[in-house]
Amino acid sequence: DIQLTQSPSSLSASVGDRVTITCRASQSISGYLNWYQQKPGKAPNLLIYAASNLQSGVPSRFSGSGSGTEFTLTISSLQPEDFATYYCQESYSFPWTFGQGTKVEIK
Amino acid sequence: QVQLQESGPGLVKPSETLSLTCTVSGTSISGFYWTWIRQSPGKGLECIGYIYSTGKTYYNPSLKSRVTMSVDTSKSHFSLRLNSVTAADTAFYYCARGSFGAVTLFDYWGQGALVTVSS
């Protein structure tokens, strides 16, 4: 299985900050990388698909980039509702593994 | 709007079978890949497998020997059975709609069902 490693595991940030989360794959996955946001007690919610495509209804402050083995999720100006855990997920090969998550907390 | 809802027992005894059903509304069952994903503190998010509307199934190799999925298009639901469960199978179980076109993504999820394996 492909291994995904996210960094950092957690971070503290303030409203308005620019936040960047990295996801590294154990092998090249081209652009087959999705990002999800999960809030406590809720299911994950799709933010970005195919590395850089914004899912319908997701605010434009979220963006994704990367290809091959290194990918980033950027929140350009952190909002109160963005405090959550973020997961990357590869869609290159079944069983489509997820990263371990990055928890974004209030500073 | 598209909604998915998991249902089933929240407590299962070790060595017994976990059974969950996901009821789908607001979308056709046809044309999508219906997926089970679980989340536990120890293993994070893990794709268990998926079933197409025709009944074709794909299971995670790590669970393949214990998993069975089925779909009932007339009732707009699909189901998961995981046998010989242990404490390691304790997790939140989510059903999700998979779109497998040029890219694979999970765009709608159920709220999740906590299943605890304990005697």
Side-chain angles (χ1 to χ4, degrees):
Chain A
D1 296 358
I2 294 170
Q3 308 301 315
L4 296 179
T5 303
Q6 290 183 231
S7 60
S9 296
S10 64
L11 64 90
S12 295
S14 300
V15 173
D17 284 353
R18 182 182 182 87
V19 169
T20 299
I21 298 168
T22 297
C23 178
R24 290 186 173 87
S26 58
Q27 66 179 75
S28 177
I29 56 172
S30 187
Y32 295 97
L33 195 284
N34 304 325
W35 290 97
Y36 297 83
Q37 177 194 67
Q38 186 178 32
K39 295 182 179 179
K42 300 292 187 182
N45 180 53
L46 179 66
L47 297 176
I48 302 283
Y49 64 92
S52 60
N53 295 275
L54 196 66
Q55 173 69 352
S56 176
V58 174
S60 58
R61 62 181 179 273
F62 291 93
S63 64
S65 65
S67 66
T69 61
E70 187 154 335
F71 301 84
T72 59
L73 172 71
T74 299
I75 309 172
S76 60
S77 178
L78 198 65
Q79 298 302 300
E81 60 268 29
D82 301 336
F83 292 96
T85 301
Y86 294 84
Y87 294 93
C88 56
Q89 174 243 327
E90 59 86 9
S91 59
Y92 183 80
S93 67
F94 187 71
W96 308 314
T97 53
F98 290 81
Q100 83 281 11
T102 295
K103 187 173 185 179
V104 176
E105 299 175 302
I106 301 172
K107 194 171 189 178
Chain B
Q1 72 277 27
V2 178
Q3 291 186 317
L4 288 75
Q5 178 69 59
E6 304 90 350
S7 59
L11 180 64
V12 182
K13 290 181 168 55
S15 80
E16 295 191 346
T17 298
L18 178 160
S19 295
L20 292 171
T21 295
C22 181
T23 301
V24 178
S25 60
T27 181
S28 172
I29 283 269
S30 299
F32 295 98
Y33 294 80
W34 301 97
T35 307
W36 289 97
I37 295 165
R38 69 180 184 180
Q39 185 174 31
S40 62
K43 294 200 72 176
L45 286 157
E46 179 181 35
C47 181
I48 299 169
Y50 62 91
I51 184 166
Y52 191 55
S53 50
T54 57
K56 181 89 172 163
T57 55
Y58 298 83
Y59 302 144
N60 188 324
S62 69
L63 297 166
K64 186 175 183 178
S65 63
R66 299 194 291 131
V67 173
T68 304
M69 294 182 186
S70 59
V71 63
D72 187 333
T73 55
S74 67
K75 294 181 179 178
S76 285
H77 73 212
F78 61 105
S79 300
L80 167 71
R81 288 173 59 86
L82 179 67
N83 59 35
S84 304
V85 298
T86 70
D89 295 309
T90 293
F92 278 94
Y93 285 76
Y94 295 99
C95 57
R97 188 181 82 168
S99 292
F100 300 178
V103 296
T104 296
L105 54 87
F106 304 115
D107 54 359
Y108 291 95
W109 296 58
Q111 65 184 24
L114 175 61
V115 179
T116 302
V117 178
S118 175
S119 55

